[in-house]
Structure formats: structure tokens, C-alpha cells
């Protein structure tokens, strides 16, 4: 069953976020890259009109291309040619009337998307924080993907482009993007960060003695 995600009372404090930002976590906000295309949470903000221009959209750097509209292609390619086992697709579905749809792959503890590998919870917090900071009342549902992420009909049904609706085939581009990474090393690093993150926010247990 899809899980509704809202701001939580036990969300990390600013102190914890500052400490965690020093960790080797690919999904931490890239605030060091200051510029007009990045919001305060570190998420890239696409220039108006680019998504409607197929050629300009295709010309975007890989990370931005797969983070703004082609996330399903990247996740689908990962699952079709899995560099690591045990991953499945998940989708962030904003409430009606809001933007912010996103698809990534996860094993339940760590996740992979255009950022690379990171703690799943960190990815969700970063995504939620960015969209909520620019859209009052933004909430979303997290659902496991139960359709083929490279099938045009299934993607169009959910208002996403299929592979043959780009100027060129995006699947080889996604494979090259994936091949540039050391998946085992990056996943292990993300797992260590996820383990520390879980320990940081684990409720204290009183000593029964």
C-alpha cells in the first residue's frame, strides 16, 4: 500500500543536518554549487520552457537530464541491467495539483537516482524539503513501482515520456551514466551513511534494570 509522506515530528534537526552534511552521502544538498539554478535546499531548478523543447532538454548534462523528467528511464535501465541485486523501483507521487514526481531505485535502505547512491531516507527528506520550501502544503505518497519503467504506454499513462519520445534513444545514455560508477563501492559507502543515520534517530530505550 502506498505510504503518505508528510513532515514528521522526528525529522532531523538543523544541528543533525549540519553534522550529516559532512558525510560522504551523494544525496546531501549541493549548496556549495551556488548559482541561480539551485534552490536553497540544493535542488537544481530547471529554466522555464526547457522541458517543452526536446533538443534543449536532450542537451542538458546527464545528471540534470535524468533528474528532471528522465528519472524513469534511468531507474528502468538500472533494473533491466542491474549493477547490484535486490533493488526495485519506488515513486514519489505528489498530491493532486502539485509537481515533484520522481522515480528512483532502492533496496529499502539505500537508494540510487541521478545523484548516485545515498540513504533512502536522506533522498526522501531532500526531495520533500526542496519541493515543500517552494510549494506551501506540498505532500506526497511513496509507492512501489508496479509497471515497466521503459514501457511507453505505461509511462504516458502517468504523464512521463517513453524511450522513443526523446530526440535520441535515452537508454544507451542511461547505461553509460550507470557504467561510469563503481556501484559496489558507492553502495557500501551509502549503506554506512544510512546505518549511521538510522542510529542517530533511533529512540532511546530505557534500561529495564
Amino acid at each position: 500500500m502506498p505510504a503518505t509522506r508528510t513532515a514528521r515530528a522526528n525529522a532531523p534537526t538543523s544541528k543533525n543536518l549540519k553534522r550529516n552534511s559532512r558525510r560522504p552521502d551523494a544525496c546531501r544538498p549541493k549548496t556549495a554549487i551556488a548559482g541561480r539554478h539551485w534552490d536553497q535546499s540544493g535542488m537544481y531548478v530547471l529554466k522555464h520552457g526547457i522541458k517543452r523543447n526536446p533538443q534543449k532538454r536532450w542537451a542538458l548534462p546527464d545528471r540534470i537530464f535524468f533528474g528532471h523528467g528522465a528519472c524513469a528511464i534511468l531507474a528502468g535501465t538500472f533494473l533491466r541491467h542491474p549493477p547490484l541485486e535486490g533493488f526495485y523501483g519506488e515513486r514519489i507521487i505528489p498530491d493532486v495539483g502539485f509537481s515533484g514526481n520522481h522515480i528512483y531505485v532502492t533496496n529499502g535502505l539505500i537508494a540510487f537516482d541521478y545523484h548516485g547512491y545515498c540513504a533512502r531516507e536522506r533522498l526522501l527528506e531532500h526531495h520533500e524539503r526542496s519541493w515543500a520550501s517552494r510549494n506551501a502544503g506540498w505532500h506526497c505518497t511513496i509507492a512501489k513501482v508496479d509497471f515497466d519503467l521503459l514501457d511507453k504506454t505505461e509511462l504516458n499513462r502517468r504523464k512521463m515520456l517513453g524511450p522513443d519520445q526523446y530526440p535520441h534513444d535515452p537508454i544507451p545514455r542511461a547505461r553509460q551514466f550507470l557504467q561510469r560508477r563503481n556501484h559496489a563501492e558507492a553502495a557500501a559507502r551509502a549503506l554506512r551513511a544510512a546505518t549511521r543515520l538510522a542510529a542517530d534517530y533511533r529512540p532511546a530505550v530505557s534500561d529495564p534494570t
Side-chain angles (χ1 to χ4, degrees), residues 64-120:
I64 299 171
F65 175 74
F66 289 118
H68 292 77
C71 57
I73 302 297
L74 182 61
T77 303
F78 183 108
L79 296 174
R80 180 167 291 184
H81 307 281
L84 297 174
E85 298 298 325
F87 283 74
Y88 54 89
E90 267 189 350
R91 183 182 175 199
I92 300 174
I93 308 172
D95 287 356
V96 176
F98 290 97
S99 299
N101 175 77
H102 185 49
I103 294 177
Y104 54 93
V105 296
T106 180
N107 64 0
L109 188 58
I110 63 174
F112 178 87
D113 69 352
Y114 65 102
H115 289 108
Y117 288 92
C118 68
R120 174 181 177 273

Side-chain angles (χ1 to χ4, degrees), residues 1-8 43 90-104 120-121 123-132 135-144:
M1 177 181 294
T4 301
R5 186 176 179 87
T6 58
R8 295 163 299 131
M43 181 171 282
E90 267 189 350
R91 183 182 175 199
I92 300 174
I93 308 172
D95 287 356
V96 176
F98 290 97
S99 299
N101 175 77
H102 185 49
I103 294 177
Y104 54 93
R120 174 181 177 273
E121 188 64 18
L123 183 153
L124 295 174
E125 287 174 355
H126 175 45
H127 192 87
E128 178 181 8
R129 183 170 56 248
S130 178
W131 283 97
N135 301 273
W138 191 92
H139 297 294
C140 66
T141 298
I142 311 301
K144 186 173 182 178

Side-chain angles (χ1 to χ4, degrees), residues 34-94:
R36 60 179 178 169
H37 300 311
W38 299 83
D39 68 13
Q40 292 183 346
S41 71
M43 181 171 282
Y44 188 91
V45 179
L46 204 61
K47 280 186 176 181
H48 180 71
I50 286 185
K51 277 194 173 184
R52 298 180 182 178
N53 185 316
Q55 296 299 334
K56 286 186 176 181
R57 187 181 199 177
W58 183 263
L60 291 169
D62 283 347
R63 187 174 167 214
I64 299 171
F65 175 74
F66 289 118
H68 292 77
C71 57
I73 302 297
L74 182 61
T77 303
F78 183 108
L79 296 174
R80 180 167 291 184
H81 307 281
L84 297 174
E85 298 298 325
F87 283 74
Y88 54 89
E90 267 189 350
R91 183 182 175 199
I92 300 174
I93 308 172

